[in-house]
Amino acid sequence: MIHTVGPVYQGGGRGEAALLKSAYLESLKLASARGLKSLSFPAISTGVYAYPVREAARIALKTAIDYLREHSDIERLHYVLFGQKMFDVFAEEMKKLIGVDKER
């Protein structure tokens, strides 16, 4: 098991985005180093740490996409999300990041 802690959101001007990216990236690096093929993430920092969901989703997904493009050792990545609303935000951000047209 890999455990990470994300930043407490304090308005966005205190390096929170870099810290959140680092929480995901270091977890991915540890997974690779340990030979793990599958990894699951929650929406880190979006609960009691109050990180805005849309921004957190974009950081989580972009960090993973960029990492997995260079590291094919991780075969499966899951996001375990609380509720339909959270899922919808992540799905919308994923579409933007991979260039999927909403009308298709």
Side-chain angles (χ1 to χ4, degrees), residues 8 68 81 92 104:
V8 174
L68 295 174
L81 306 170
E92 289 170 14
R104 282 190 212 173

Side-chain angles (χ1 to χ4, degrees), residues 38-52:
S38 177
L39 195 59
S40 295
F41 283 118
I44 297 170
S45 287
T46 61
V48 297
Y49 287 178
Y51 212 105

Side-chain angles (χ1 to χ4, degrees), residues 36-39 68 71-77:
L36 300 178
K37 301 293 180 192
S38 177
L39 195 59
L68 295 174
H71 302 87
S72 60
D73 52 316
I74 297 175
E75 298 171 359
R76 188 169 291 173
L77 182 61

